[in-house]
Amino acid sequence: MDVDAYLARLGVARPAAADLATLRTLQERHLAAVPFENLSVHLGEPIELTEEALFGKIVERRRGGFCYELNGLFAALLCELGYHASLHAAQVFRPDGSLGPPLDHAAVVVELDEPWLLDVGFGRFARHPLRLSGVDAQADPEGDFLVLDAPYGDVDVLLDGKPQYRLEHRPRPLADFVPMAWWQSTSPESHFTRSLTCSRPTSQGRVTLSGAKLIETVDGVRHEVPLSGDDAVRTAYRVYFGMALQRLPTLPGENPLTSPSLSPTLP
């Protein structure tokens, strides 16, 4: 991996130490610089879960991705920087409180003096590392997070009292997520095939582009602006997410400017 190129993508210098302060900076910068997006699903691009392919997409082509891509490459970067980082599978809680399928999500666990959870691929989630051994609520710019014991040594992660996902205790290689990544990007039952989104946090909230709808949350106030024409949408991708798209993603049978609402993991 070209570590310097990756760090330049994040806008940070090579760190002097693999400590918690550096970990916090890397997570914050990754979230701010690399968007959570599912555009490949609607551009006919394959989801390739290899370090080389992910580096080419996220660093060289300056794109984003979804959980397996973003957290998969982020974990590899952390290992290159001297951290003991591993990928862990998670099941996402549905709105009705039930759990999604196994390997529904991938997150990163880093072992320092204790285990820490990092996630740069879930849409709205913690901006700072979370203590997996913490028993009290952990304050974060996105809200209060709580980590609770779950069956079989797993843990449930809650945001403002609402369960987000159940994290496995054991680590997994990136290759374990290939079948679910294929399902997420091809199945008509997947919300990634039924929605179109590109999103990242900002210093005052969050900015999201869904089809021709630009959504900005500033200090808790949500603003929606409809964009008119392909040129306006391309400009929004470039200005807000640093992505120069030759063609716009489209949902099956729809115009690129008429996509449905956001993924359930986003506000």
Side-chain angles (χ1 to χ4, degrees):
M1 178 187 292
D2 187 341
V3 172
D4 290 331
Y6 199 158
L7 294 175
R9 171 81 168 96
L10 305 184
V12 298
R14 184 180 283 263
D19 56 18
L20 181 59
T22 296
L23 202 61
R24 177 172 173 151
T25 298
L26 290 170
Q27 177 168 330
E28 288 178 321
R29 287 303 309 150
H30 205 294
L31 287 166
V34 184
F36 174 87
E37 50 105 331
N38 67 335
L39 306 189
S40 288
V41 175
H42 304 290
L43 286 169
E45 301 171 349
I47 304 297
E48 298 183 53
L49 295 188
T50 66
E51 184 179 312
E52 181 180 11
L54 295 178
F55 186 88
K57 178 180 180 179
I58 294 169
V59 178
E60 295 177 343
R61 301 204 304 277
R62 305 185 70 82
R63 285 279 304 280
F66 56 17
C67 65
Y68 312 116
E69 300 171 290
L70 300 180
N71 284 320
L73 193 63
F74 189 44
L77 171 67
L78 295 176
C79 289
E80 292 281 349
L81 293 174
Y83 289 98
H84 185 278
S86 56
L87 285 175
H88 290 245
Q91 292 175 269
V92 179
F93 281 95
R94 300 186 179 103
D96 64 3
S98 63
L99 283 167
L103 288 91
D104 195 21
H105 179 62
V108 181
V109 173
V110 173
E111 295 286 346
L112 291 173
D113 55 326
E114 58 181 313
W116 294 82
L117 171 65
L118 294 89
D119 199 329
V120 296
F122 193 65
R124 184 190 173 199
F125 198 71
R127 300 197 191 190
H128 303 152
L130 297 175
R131 296 176 58 220
L132 278 176
S133 57
V135 295
D136 298 320
Q138 302 177 55
D140 183 88
E142 292 292 348
D144 289 334
F145 286 83
L146 191 62
V147 178
L148 301 177
D149 290 338
Y152 310 109
D154 297 344
V155 295
D156 288 345
V157 183
L158 286 70
L159 169 57
D160 293 334
K162 182 179 178 180
Q164 301 298 297
Y165 57 67
R166 178 165 294 174
L167 186 74
E168 282 187 358
H169 175 70
R170 72 179 180 106
R172 289 182 179 269
L174 182 58
D176 279 8
F177 298 94
V178 169
M180 266 310 281
W182 177 84
W183 184 89
Q184 296 278 25
S185 61
T186 60
S187 172
E189 299 301 315
S190 166
H191 63 256
F192 288 112
T193 63
R194 294 182 283 111
S195 65
L196 179 58
T197 191
C198 184
S199 182
R200 66 173 182 83
T202 66
S203 60
Q204 295 178 300
R206 175 170 291 275
V207 59
T208 299
L209 182 60
S210 180
K213 182 191 299 180
L214 182 66
I215 305 165
E216 289 188 87
T217 303
V218 179
D219 297 331
V221 180
R222 178 184 172 109
H223 306 273
E224 295 189 13
V225 179
L227 303 178
S228 178
D230 289 1
D231 287 345
V233 175
R234 285 193 178 90
T235 298
Y237 277 119
R238 185 178 67 255
V239 170
Y240 290 95
F241 305 103
M243 300 193 312
L245 298 180
Q246 298 301 313
R247 57 192 179 91
L248 294 178
T250 59
L251 290 162
E254 292 194 12
N255 182 280
L257 303 183
T258 59
S259 60
S261 60
L262 301 178
S263 156
T265 60
L266 296 175

